[in-house]
Amino acid sequence: MEPEEAVRQLECAIDASLDETGQRTAATYRPTFERVADRADGGAVYALAGALADEVVAGDRPTPAEANATAERVLDDWAYTDGGA
């Protein structure tokens, strides 16, 4: 999965709605997805999108900082389960 596609999918999951501060949250995840794509592969991007989508479905809307923390966990898991990129 490409970073742009992951962001688009999350925008659909969040329904492109505004957060409490009036920002479109999903679009702010793009640098996080790009960093994951640079450090791993499309599978890791997909794993990050799934993890963030799970949080959205649970009623949360992760901040960019929370998305970065989730990305670090995904990358750590990816390094252990995929042998690293």
Side-chain angles (χ1 to χ4, degrees):
M1 178 178 283
E2 296 294 318
E4 296 82 16
E5 177 63 20
V7 170
R8 223 176 359 261
Q9 293 296 325
L10 278 175
E11 285 172 340
C12 290
I14 296 172
D15 195 26
S17 59
L18 300 177
D19 67 9
E20 305 82 43
T21 62
Q23 296 182 346
R24 296 190 186 275
T25 305
T28 63
Y29 299 154
R30 185 176 314 275
T32 301
F33 281 107
E34 290 172 348
R35 182 169 47 82
V36 170
D38 287 343
R39 289 179 52 192
D41 62 14
V45 172
Y46 185 80
L48 174 59
L52 292 174
D54 289 345
E55 292 183 43
V56 170
V57 168
D60 296 327
R61 185 169 294 153
T63 65
E66 292 168 334
N68 281 327
T70 300
E72 287 304 315
R73 286 191 299 276
V74 166
L75 287 169
D76 287 346
D77 288 348
W78 207 254
Y80 289 117
T81 61
D82 194 42

